[in-house]
Amino acid sequence: MRVTTRRVLLLLGSVAALMVTLHLGQQVLECQQVLSQRRHRLMRPENEELVMVDANHVEYRYSKDMPLIFIGGVPRSGTTLMRAMLDAHPEVRCGEETRIIPRVLAMRQAWSKSGREKMRLDEAGVTDQVLDAAMQAFILEVIAKHGEPARYLCNKDPFTLKSSVYLSRLFPNSKFLLMVRDGRASVHSMITRKVTIAGFDLNSYRDCLTKWNKAIEVMYSQCLEIGRARCLPVYYEQLVLHPEQSMHNIMRFLDISWSDTVLHHEELIGKPGGVSLSKIERSTDQVIKPVNMEALSKWIGHIPGDVLQDMAHIAPMLARLGYDPYANPPNYGHPDPLVVNNTHRVLKGDYKTPANLKGHLQVTQNTSSSH
C-alpha cells in the first residue's frame, strides 16, 4: 500500500512538473513573439515609404527609389532662380534651403575620411550600411516634410552637390542640376551682398575666386563622374538670356511634362501650390522679379587690376567651363525678346513685391549692395 501511494505521489509530481514546464515554455515563446513584433515595429524596412496627403486629400508616397531632384552649385550662381522656376511647375515642389542637409553630408564624409573614426564606428556596429540607411531616411524625411507634398520633389542647398556621387548611390533614380556661373560674377555678388560662406574672405577677390575655383571643380568633377544622364550643368547666363529654350532642355532632362508657368515664376510667389520664398535668404529680393539681365555683368569694373591680370591662374576653371578669363566685358550672348522686355520692366520698377514679403525685403536691401 505504501509503495502504491508513493508511486501515485511521484506520478502526480511528475505531471505537475511537466505542466509547469509546458506553461513556462509557452510564456517564453509568447515573450519572444512580443519582442520580435516590437523589433519589427522599431526597424524601418529598406523599402518603407513616406506617405503624405495634400490639402485636396491626394495621397503621395515617397521612397529612396523616387526621382528626387537636387539643385546645387557655388552660392550666388542662380540656384534660387532655378528652384523658383521649377517650383512654378504645378507638379514640382522644391521649397527653401534646408541648410541642414549639406551639413549632415559633410559630417558623413568626415567620418569616412577618418580611418580611426571609421574603425571605431565599425567596431560599434555602426557600419557604412547602417549609416547610409540612416542618411537615406533622414534626407528623404527632411525633403518630403519641410514643404507641401507634390508629385516631384527637389532640394536646393548649394553645397549639397559636393556630395553628388554619394547621393546618387543613396537615391538611385535621382537627378542633379549643377548651376554654373561666371566665377567673377558669383564672387562679386557674394562680396557686395556680404553673403557669408565658410572659408571665403569677403575682403579679398583673390581669395574668394580661389575658393570658388576649388568648390566648382569638386562639383563639376562629380557631375561628370555621375554622367550626363543624371547630372546636367545649367549655365546661369544661358538660363537668363534664353529661359524658354533652357527650361525645355531641363524639363526633358528631368522627364517632367512642360508647363508655361516655369517662365513666369514671379506670378506664383506666395500662392497656394506656387513658389514659397524665404524672408531671410539673400536672393529673395531678386527672385521676386521676372527673369532679367540686370545681374549679368555688374562685376565689370569692380575686380582689382592685379586679380584680373592673374585671373587665368587664380581661377583655371573659368576656361574649363568655357568662359574667357580675360574678357572684360565677356560676350554671354544675345537675349530673347521676352528677357529684354522683362529687363526694361525691372529697371523701371514695374514688378510687385508679394504681400507676404513686404516689410522684410527692405531690411535685406538696406544691408547689402546690389547683386
Side-chain angles (χ1 to χ4, degrees):
M1 185 66 181
R2 289 179 182 176
V3 174
T4 302
T5 302
R6 186 179 297 169
R7 286 180 177 176
V8 170
L9 291 173
L10 286 172
L11 180 61
L12 289 173
S14 298
V15 171
L18 179 61
M19 291 178 66
V20 170
T21 302
L22 290 172
H23 180 68
L24 289 173
Q26 185 178 1
Q27 286 188 323
V28 169
L29 288 173
E30 289 176 353
C31 286
Q32 287 178 337
Q33 288 177 348
V34 170
L35 289 173
S36 176
Q37 289 172 354
R38 286 179 178 175
R39 281 196 297 267
H40 181 72
R41 285 197 298 267
L42 290 172
M43 294 295 288
R44 294 170 59 103
E46 289 188 5
N47 60 347
E48 183 177 350
E49 294 181 329
L50 285 176
V51 180
M52 295 184 67
V53 180
D54 68 10
N56 297 318
H57 307 291
V58 176
E59 185 178 276
Y60 295 87
R61 293 180 175 272
Y62 304 127
S63 73
K64 67 181 179 64
D65 295 316
M66 68 178 292
L68 280 172
I69 304 163
F70 290 97
I71 301 170
V74 180
R76 313 305 303 161
S77 293
T79 55
T80 304
L81 175 62
M82 180 74 263
R83 80 89 173 165
M85 295 176 78
L86 279 181
D87 254 332
H89 193 287
E91 293 187 313
V92 179
R93 193 267 290 159
C94 298
E96 296 87 340
E97 293 179 15
T98 71
R99 297 181 61 81
I100 194 170
I101 289 179
R103 296 179 185 183
V104 171
L105 287 168
M107 289 173 61
R108 175 69 179 92
Q109 187 178 37
W111 294 333
S112 297
K113 283 184 176 180
S114 172
R116 178 176 297 180
E117 186 65 22
K118 189 178 188 312
M119 181 180 67
R120 289 174 175 171
L121 290 171
D122 287 342
E123 186 68 21
V126 186
T127 63
D128 284 343
Q129 185 179 4
V130 172
L131 285 172
D132 290 349
M135 291 291 291
Q136 271 177 346
F138 178 81
I139 292 172
L140 183 61
E141 190 100 4
V142 171
I143 293 175
K145 293 188 176 180
H146 87 110
E148 294 298 316
R151 182 178 178 184
Y152 299 99
L153 296 181
C154 80
N155 164 254
K156 191 280 282 192
D157 282 297
F159 281 130
T160 293
L161 263 66
K162 294 177 77 173
S163 302
S164 300
V165 172
Y166 178 65
L167 285 169
S168 70
R169 292 200 301 265
L170 291 186
F171 302 101
N173 295 313
S174 58
K175 289 191 175 181
F176 302 81
L177 298 175
L178 172 61
M179 294 305 299
V180 177
R181 186 184 184 185
D182 189 326
R184 295 164 291 192
S186 295
V187 165
H188 177 69
S189 178
M190 64 180 70
I191 288 177
T192 56
R193 293 178 69 88
K194 300 178 174 61
V195 180
T196 304
I197 304 170
F200 284 66
D201 179 2
L202 297 183
N203 294 311
S204 169
Y205 274 91
R206 184 179 292 271
D207 178 79
C208 287
L209 280 162
T210 301
K211 301 292 175 49
W212 170 87
N213 189 83
K214 183 178 180 180
I216 193 63
E217 183 176 20
V218 170
M219 295 188 216
Y220 189 67
S221 297
Q222 292 208 20
C223 186
L224 294 180
E225 184 175 344
I226 294 171
R228 292 301 174 96
R230 294 188 63 188
C231 185
L232 179 68
V234 178
Y235 282 73
Y236 169 79
E237 294 83 9
Q238 300 311 307
L239 178 64
V240 166
L241 293 171
H242 312 292
E244 185 168 359
Q245 178 185 340
S246 297
M247 288 306 295
H248 270 290
N249 292 337
I250 290 166
M251 303 312 285
R252 278 195 297 269
F253 168 75
L254 297 175
D255 197 23
I256 299 176
S257 61
W258 175 256
S259 173
D260 284 336
T261 56
V262 300
L263 301 178
H264 306 285
H265 71 279
E266 73 283 359
E267 298 175 4
L268 296 169
I269 295 173
K271 295 184 178 179
V275 182
S276 174
L277 292 178
S278 168
K279 296 180 179 67
I280 59 174
E281 283 186 29
R282 293 283 185 167
S283 300
T284 296
D285 63 321
Q286 295 172 297
V287 179
I288 63 172
K289 305 170 186 177
V291 178
N292 66 87
M293 300 180 291
E294 187 185 21
L296 275 184
S297 303
K298 283 201 168 182
W299 61 270
I300 296 169
H302 295 280
I303 300 178
D306 63 306
V307 177
L308 289 175
Q309 187 175 356
D310 296 340
M311 190 62 69
H313 175 71
I314 296 171
M317 283 299 294
L318 282 172
R320 185 178 175 190
L321 294 169
Y323 298 100
D324 183 346
Y326 296 115
N328 297 288
N331 179 14
Y332 296 129
H334 300 288
D336 293 342
L338 171 67
V339 178
V340 174
N341 183 59
N342 286 348
T343 304
H344 288 323
R345 285 177 51 202
V346 168
L347 293 176
K348 291 190 298 183
D350 182 17
Y351 60 90
K352 295 180 180 179
T353 299
N356 64 315
L357 296 175
K358 287 181 178 177
H360 296 279
L361 297 184
Q362 191 64 38
V363 175
T364 301
Q365 290 165 348
N366 285 343
T367 56
S368 59
S369 304
S370 61
H371 182 61

